[in-house]
Coordinates of all heavy atoms in Angstrom, one line a residue:
M7 N 13.9 55.7 77.1 CA 12.5 56.0 76.6 C 11.7 54.7 76.9 O 12.1 53.6 76.5 CB 12.5 56.4 75.2 CG 11.2 56.8 74.7 SD 11.4 57.5 73.0 CE 9.8 57.3 72.4
A8 N 10.5 54.9 77.4 CA 9.6 53.8 77.7 C 9.0 53.3 76.4 O 8.7 54.0 75.5 CB 8.5 54.3 78.7
S9 N 8.7 52.0 76.4 CA 8.0 51.4 75.3 C 6.5 51.7 75.4 O 5.9 51.8 76.5 CB 8.2 49.8 75.4 OG 9.5 49.5 75.2
T10 N 5.9 51.8 74.2 CA 4.5 52.1 74.1 C 3.8 51.1 73.2 O 4.5 50.4 72.4 CB 4.2 53.5 73.6 OG1 4.7 53.6 72.3 CG2 4.8 54.6 74.5
V11 N 2.5 51.0 73.3 CA 1.7 50.1 72.5 C 0.4 50.8 72.2 O -0.1 51.5 73.1 CB 1.5 48.7 73.2 CG1 0.8 48.8 74.4 CG2 0.9 47.7 72.2
K12 N -0.2 50.5 71.1 CA -1.6 51.0 70.8 C -2.6 49.9 71.1 O -2.4 48.8 70.7 CB -1.7 51.4 69.3 CG -0.9 52.7 69.0 CD -1.1 53.1 67.6 CE -0.3 54.4 67.3 NZ -0.5 54.9 66.0
I13 N -3.6 50.3 71.9 CA -4.6 49.3 72.3 C -6.0 49.8 71.9 O -6.3 51.0 72.2 CB -4.5 49.1 73.8 CG1 -3.1 48.5 74.2 CG2 -5.6 48.1 74.3 CD1 -2.9 48.3 75.7
P14 N -6.8 48.9 71.3 CA -8.1 49.4 70.9 C -9.1 49.4 72.1 O -8.9 48.7 73.1 CB -8.6 48.3 69.9 CG -7.7 47.1 70.2 CD -6.5 47.6 70.8
L15 N -10.1 50.3 71.9 CA -11.2 50.5 72.9 C -12.4 49.8 72.4 O -12.7 49.9 71.2 CB -11.5 51.9 73.2 CG -10.3 52.8 73.7 CD1 -10.7 54.3 73.8 CD2 -9.8 52.3 75.0
T16 N -13.1 49.0 73.2 CA -14.3 48.3 72.7 C -15.5 48.7 73.6 O -15.3 48.7 74.9 CB -14.1 46.7 72.7 OG1 -13.7 46.3 74.0 CG2 -13.0 46.3 71.8
G17 N -16.6 49.0 73.0 CA -17.8 49.4 73.7 C -17.7 50.8 74.1 O -16.8 51.5 73.9
G18 N -18.9 51.3 74.6 CA -18.9 52.7 75.1 C -18.8 53.7 74.0 O -18.9 53.4 72.8
T19 N -18.6 55.0 74.4 CA -18.6 56.0 73.4 C -17.4 56.1 72.5 O -17.4 56.7 71.5 CB -18.8 57.4 74.1 OG1 -17.7 57.5 75.1 CG2 -20.1 57.5 74.9
A20 N -16.3 55.4 73.0 CA -15.1 55.4 72.2 C -14.8 54.1 71.4 O -13.7 53.9 71.0 CB -13.9 55.7 73.2
D21 N -15.8 53.3 71.3 CA -15.7 52.1 70.6 C -15.0 52.2 69.2 O -15.4 53.1 68.4 CB -17.1 51.4 70.4 CG -17.0 50.0 69.8 OD1 -16.2 49.2 70.3 OD2 -17.8 49.7 68.9
G22 N -14.0 51.4 69.0 CA -13.3 51.5 67.7 C -12.1 52.4 67.7 O -11.2 52.3 66.8
E23 N -11.9 53.2 68.7 CA -10.8 54.1 68.8 C -9.6 53.3 69.4 O -9.8 52.2 70.0 CB -11.1 55.3 69.7 CG -12.1 56.3 69.1 CD -12.3 57.5 70.0 OE1 -11.4 57.9 70.7 OE2 -13.4 58.0 70.0
T24 N -8.4 53.8 69.3 CA -7.2 53.2 69.9 C -6.5 54.3 70.8 O -6.7 55.5 70.5 CB -6.2 52.7 68.9 OG1 -5.8 53.8 68.1 CG2 -6.8 51.6 68.1
V25 N -5.8 53.8 71.8 CA -5.0 54.7 72.7 C -3.6 54.1 72.7 O -3.4 52.9 72.6 CB -5.6 54.8 74.1 CG1 -7.0 55.5 74.1 CG2 -5.8 53.4 74.8
E26 N -2.7 55.1 72.8 CA -1.3 54.7 73.0 C -0.9 54.8 74.4 O -1.0 55.9 75.0 CB -0.4 55.5 72.1 CG 1.1 55.0 72.0 CD 1.9 55.7 71.0 OE1 1.3 56.4 70.1 OE2 3.1 55.6 71.0
V27 N -0.4 53.7 75.0 CA -0.1 53.7 76.4 C 1.3 53.2 76.6 O 1.9 52.5 75.8 CB -1.1 52.9 77.3 CG1 -2.5 53.4 77.2 CG2 -1.1 51.4 76.8
E28 N 1.9 53.6 77.7 CA 3.3 53.2 78.1 C 3.2 51.8 78.8 O 2.3 51.6 79.6 CB 4.0 54.2 79.0 CG 4.4 55.4 78.3 CD 5.3 56.3 79.2 OE1 5.8 55.8 80.3 OE2 5.5 57.4 78.9
L29 N 4.1 51.0 78.5 CA 4.2 49.7 79.2 C 5.1 49.8 80.4 O 6.0 50.6 80.5 CB 4.9 48.6 78.2 CG 4.2 48.4 76.9 CD1 5.0 47.4 76.1 CD2 2.8 47.9 77.1
D30 N 4.7 49.0 81.5 CA 5.5 49.1 82.7 C 6.8 48.2 82.5 O 7.1 47.7 81.5 CB 4.7 48.6 83.9 CG 4.3 47.1 83.8 OD1 4.8 46.3 83.1 OD2 3.4 46.7 84.6
S31 N 7.5 48.1 83.6 CA 8.8 47.4 83.5 C 8.7 45.9 83.2 O 9.6 45.3 82.8 CB 9.6 47.6 84.8 OG 8.8 47.1 85.9
N32 N 7.4 45.4 83.4 CA 7.2 44.0 83.0 C 6.6 43.8 81.6 O 6.2 42.7 81.2 CB 6.2 43.4 84.1 CG 6.8 43.3 85.4 OD1 8.0 42.9 85.6 ND2 6.1 43.7 86.4
G33 N 6.5 44.9 80.9 CA 5.9 44.9 79.5 C 4.4 44.9 79.5 O 3.9 44.4 78.5
R34 N 3.8 45.3 80.5 CA 2.3 45.3 80.5 C 1.8 46.8 80.6 O 2.3 47.7 81.2 CB 1.8 44.6 81.8 CG 2.0 43.1 81.7 CD 1.3 42.3 82.8 NE -0.1 42.6 82.9 CZ -1.1 42.1 82.2 NH1 -0.8 41.2 81.2 NH2 -2.3 42.4 82.4
P35 N 0.6 47.0 79.9 CA 0.0 48.3 79.9 C -0.8 48.5 81.2 O -1.0 47.6 82.0 CB -1.0 48.2 78.7 CG -1.3 46.8 78.5 CD -0.1 46.0 79.0
P36 N -1.2 49.8 81.5 CA -2.0 50.0 82.7 C -3.3 49.2 82.7 O -3.9 48.9 81.6 CB -2.4 51.5 82.5 CG -1.4 52.1 81.6 CD -1.0 51.0 80.7
L37 N -3.8 48.8 83.9 CA -5.0 48.0 84.0 C -6.3 48.7 83.6 O -7.3 48.1 83.2 CB -5.1 47.5 85.4 CG -4.0 46.5 85.9 CD1 -4.2 46.1 87.3 CD2 -4.0 45.3 85.0
T38 N -6.3 50.1 83.7 CA -7.5 50.8 83.3 C -7.1 52.0 82.4 O -5.9 52.5 82.5 CB -8.3 51.3 84.5 OG1 -7.4 52.2 85.3 CG2 -8.8 50.2 85.3
H39 N -8.0 52.5 81.7 CA -7.9 53.7 80.9 C -9.1 54.6 81.1 O -10.2 54.1 81.0 CB -7.7 53.4 79.4 CG -7.8 54.6 78.5 ND1 -6.7 55.5 78.5 CD2 -8.7 55.1 77.7 CE1 -7.1 56.5 77.6 NE2 -8.3 56.2 77.2
H40 N -8.9 55.9 81.5 CA -10.0 56.8 81.6 C -10.0 57.6 80.3 O -9.1 58.4 80.1 CB -9.8 57.7 82.8 CG -9.9 57.0 84.1 ND1 -9.0 56.1 84.6 CD2 -10.9 57.0 85.0 CE1 -9.4 55.6 85.7 NE2 -10.6 56.1 86.0
H41 N -11.1 57.4 79.5 CA -11.2 58.1 78.3 C -12.0 59.4 78.5 O -13.2 59.3 78.9 CB -11.9 57.2 77.2 CG -11.9 57.7 75.9 ND1 -10.7 57.7 75.1 CD2 -12.8 58.4 75.1 CE1 -11.0 58.3 73.9 NE2 -12.2 58.7 73.9
M42 N -11.4 60.5 78.3 CA -12.0 61.8 78.5 C -13.1 62.1 77.5 O -13.0 61.8 76.4 CB -11.0 62.9 78.5 CG -9.9 62.8 79.5 SD -10.6 62.8 81.2 CE -9.1 62.4 82.1
G43 N -14.2 62.7 78.0 CA -15.3 63.1 77.1 C -15.1 64.5 76.6 O -14.0 65.1 77.0
P44 N -16.0 65.0 75.9 CA -15.8 66.4 75.3 C -15.7 67.5 76.4 O -15.0 68.5 76.2 CB -17.1 66.6 74.6 CG -17.7 65.3 74.3 CD -17.2 64.4 75.4
H45 N -16.2 67.2 77.6 CA -16.1 68.2 78.7 C -15.1 67.7 79.8 O -15.3 68.0 81.0 CB -17.5 68.5 79.3 CG -18.4 69.2 78.3 ND1 -19.3 68.5 77.6 CD2 -18.4 70.4 77.9 CE1 -19.9 69.3 76.8 NE2 -19.4 70.5 76.9
G46 N -14.1 66.9 79.4 CA -13.1 66.4 80.3 C -13.6 65.3 81.2 O -14.4 64.5 80.9
L47 N -13.1 65.4 82.5 CA -13.3 64.3 83.5 C -14.8 64.2 83.8 O -15.2 63.1 84.1 CB -12.5 64.7 84.7 CG -12.1 63.5 85.6 CD1 -11.3 62.5 84.7 CD2 -11.2 64.0 86.7
A48 N -15.6 65.2 83.6 CA -17.0 65.2 83.9 C -17.7 64.1 83.1 O -18.8 63.6 83.4 CB -17.7 66.5 83.8
E49 N -17.2 63.8 81.9 CA -17.8 62.9 81.0 C -16.9 61.7 80.7 O -17.0 61.0 79.6 CB -18.2 63.6 79.7 CG -19.3 64.6 79.9 CD -19.7 65.3 78.6 OE1 -19.1 65.0 77.5 OE2 -20.5 66.2 78.7
A50 N -15.9 61.5 81.5 CA -15.0 60.4 81.3 C -15.6 59.0 81.4 O -16.6 58.8 82.1 CB -13.8 60.5 82.3
Q51 N -15.1 58.1 80.6 CA -15.5 56.7 80.6 C -14.4 55.8 81.0 O -13.2 56.1 80.7 CB -16.0 56.3 79.2 CG -17.1 57.1 78.6 CD -18.4 56.8 79.3 OE1 -18.8 55.7 79.4 NE2 -19.1 57.8 79.7
I52 N -14.7 54.8 81.8 CA -13.7 53.8 82.3 C -13.6 52.6 81.4 O -14.6 52.0 81.1 CB -13.9 53.4 83.7 CG1 -13.9 54.6 84.7 CG2 -12.9 52.4 84.2 CD1 -14.3 54.4 86.1
Y53 N -12.4 52.3 81.0 CA -12.1 51.1 80.2 C -11.1 50.2 81.0 O -10.2 50.7 81.6 CB -11.6 51.4 78.8 CG -12.6 52.0 77.9 CD1 -13.0 53.4 78.0 CD2 -13.2 51.2 76.9 CE1 -13.9 53.9 77.1 CE2 -14.2 51.8 76.1 CZ -14.5 53.1 76.2 OH -15.5 53.6 75.4
E54 N -11.4 48.9 81.0 CA -10.5 48.0 81.7 C -9.8 47.0 80.7 O -10.4 46.5 79.8 CB -11.4 47.2 82.7 CG -10.7 46.3 83.6 CD -11.6 45.6 84.6 OE1 -12.4 44.7 84.2 OE2 -11.7 46.0 85.7
L55 N -8.5 46.8 81.0 CA -7.7 45.9 80.2 C -8.2 44.5 80.2 O -8.5 43.9 81.2 CB -6.2 46.0 80.7 CG -5.2 45.3 79.8 CD1 -5.0 46.0 78.5 CD2 -3.9 45.2 80.6
E56 N -8.2 43.9 79.0 CA -8.6 42.5 78.9 C -7.6 41.9 77.9 O -7.2 42.5 76.9 CB -10.0 42.3 78.3 CG -11.0 42.7 79.3 CD -12.4 42.3 78.9 OE1 -12.6 41.9 77.7 OE2 -13.4 42.5 79.7
S57 N -7.2 40.6 78.2 CA -6.2 39.9 77.3 C -7.0 39.2 76.2 O -8.1 38.7 76.4 CB -5.5 38.9 78.2 OG -4.6 38.2 77.4
E58 N -6.4 39.2 75.0 CA -7.1 38.6 73.9 C -6.5 37.2 73.5 O -7.0 36.5 72.7 CB -7.0 39.5 72.6 CG -7.8 40.7 72.8 CD -7.7 41.6 71.5 OE1 -7.1 41.2 70.5 OE2 -8.4 42.6 71.5
D59 N -5.4 36.8 74.2 CA -4.8 35.5 73.9 C -4.3 34.9 75.2 O -4.1 35.5 76.2 CB -3.7 35.6 72.8 CG -2.5 36.5 73.2 OD1 -2.5 36.9 74.4 OD2 -1.7 36.9 72.4
A60 N -4.0 33.6 75.1 CA -3.5 32.8 76.2 C -2.2 33.3 76.8 O -1.9 33.2 78.0 CB -3.4 31.4 75.9
E61 N -1.3 33.9 75.9 CA 0.0 34.3 76.4 C -0.1 35.7 77.0 O 0.8 36.2 77.6 CB 1.0 34.4 75.2 CG 1.3 33.0 74.6 CD 0.2 32.5 73.7 OE1 -0.4 33.3 73.0 OE2 0.0 31.3 73.6
G62 N -1.2 36.4 76.9 CA -1.4 37.8 77.4 C -0.5 38.8 76.7 O -0.1 39.8 77.3
L63 N -0.3 38.6 75.4 CA 0.5 39.6 74.6 C -0.4 40.5 73.7 O 0.2 41.4 73.1 CB 1.5 38.8 73.8 CG 2.5 38.0 74.6 CD1 3.4 37.2 73.7 CD2 3.3 38.8 75.5
R64 N -1.6 40.2 73.6 CA -2.5 41.1 72.8 C -3.7 41.5 73.8 O -4.2 40.7 74.5 CB -3.1 40.3 71.6 CG -2.0 40.0 70.6 CD -2.6 39.4 69.4 NE -3.8 40.1 68.9 CZ -4.8 39.5 68.2 NH1 -4.7 38.3 67.9 NH2 -5.8 40.2 67.9
W65 N -4.0 42.8 73.7 CA -5.0 43.3 74.7 C -6.0 44.2 74.0 O -5.8 44.7 72.8 CB -4.3 44.2 75.7 CG -3.2 43.5 76.4 CD1 -3.3 42.6 77.5 CD2 -1.8 43.8 76.2 NE1 -2.0 42.3 77.9 CE2 -1.1 43.0 77.2 CE3 -1.1 44.6 75.4 CZ2 0.3 42.9 77.2 CZ3 0.3 44.5 75.5 CH2 1.0 43.7 76.4
H66 N -7.1 44.5 74.7 CA -8.0 45.6 74.3 C -8.5 46.1 75.7 O -8.5 45.5 76.7 CB -9.2 45.1 73.4 CG -10.1 44.2 74.1 ND1 -10.0 42.8 74.1 CD2 -11.3 44.4 74.8 CE1 -11.0 42.3 74.7 NE2 -11.8 43.2 75.2
Y67 N -9.0 47.4 75.6 CA -9.7 47.9 76.8 C -11.2 47.8 76.6 O -11.7 48.3 75.6 CB -9.3 49.4 76.9 CG -7.9 49.6 77.6 CD1 -6.9 50.2 76.8 CD2 -7.7 49.3 78.9 CE1 -5.6 50.4 77.4 CE2 -6.5 49.5 79.5 CZ -5.4 50.1 78.7 OH -4.2 50.3 79.3
A68 N -11.9 47.2 77.5 CA -13.3 47.0 77.4 C -14.0 48.0 78.3 O -13.6 48.3 79.4 CB -13.7 45.6 77.9
W69 N -15.1 48.6 77.8 CA -15.9 49.6 78.4 C -16.5 49.1 79.7 O -17.1 48.0 79.7 CB -17.0 50.2 77.5 CG -17.8 51.3 78.1 CD1 -17.4 52.6 78.4 CD2 -19.1 51.2 78.5 NE1 -18.4 53.3 78.9 CE2 -19.5 52.5 79.0 CE3 -20.1 50.2 78.5 CZ2 -20.8 52.8 79.4 CZ3 -21.4 50.5 78.9 CH2 -21.7 51.8 79.4
R70 N -16.4 49.8 80.8 CA -17.0 49.4 82.1 C -18.1 50.4 82.6 O -18.9 50.1 83.4 CB -16.0 49.3 83.2 CG -15.0 48.1 82.9 CD -15.8 46.8 82.9 NE -14.9 45.7 82.6 CZ -15.0 44.8 81.6 NH1 -16.0 45.0 80.8 NH2 -14.1 43.9 81.5
G71 N -18.1 51.6 82.1 CA -19.1 52.6 82.5 C -18.5 54.0 82.7 O -17.3 54.2 82.5
P72 N -19.4 54.9 83.1 CA -18.9 56.3 83.3 C -18.1 56.4 84.6 O -18.3 55.6 85.5 CB -20.2 57.1 83.5 CG -21.3 56.1 83.8 CD -20.8 54.8 83.2
A73 N -17.2 57.3 84.6 CA -16.3 57.5 85.7 C -17.0 58.2 86.9 O -16.6 58.0 88.0 CB -15.0 58.3 85.3
V74 N -18.0 58.9 86.6 CA -18.8 59.6 87.7 C -20.2 59.2 87.7 O -20.7 58.7 86.8 CB -18.7 61.1 87.6 CG1 -17.3 61.5 88.0 CG2 -19.0 61.6 86.3

């Protein structure tokens, strides 16, 4: 079973929410998260992974804009 981690979203329409993502074989989460809107992909928002500490062990997804 793959390891997972909860990562907060900052900015955009999902500010303050968290998402649970799987870690890769190196223990890192995906570089981006597409947060679906009420109407699915048509209203999706793109969030990009950012490190919160020098060791790169704490992260958040920062809002970058709409997917379309």
Side-chain angles (χ1 to χ4, degrees):
M7 186 171 161
S9 296
T10 62
V11 64
K12 289 185 179 181
I13 298 179
L15 302 174
T16 58
T19 58
D21 187 46
E23 294 182 30
T24 60
V25 293
E26 188 168 347
V27 297
E28 286 189 15
L29 301 177
D30 66 15
S31 60
N32 295 313
R34 291 191 48 86
L37 295 176
T38 61
H39 170 72
H40 289 72
H41 190 76
M42 300 299 170
H45 296 101
L47 211 51
E49 294 179 1
Q51 300 289 308
I52 297 175
Y53 288 80
E54 187 175 74
L55 186 68
E56 291 186 352
S57 183
E58 292 184 359
D59 61 10
E61 294 81 31
L63 299 175
R64 291 185 47 206
W65 308 281
H66 69 270
Y67 281 113
W69 182 71
R70 293 297 182 239
V74 288

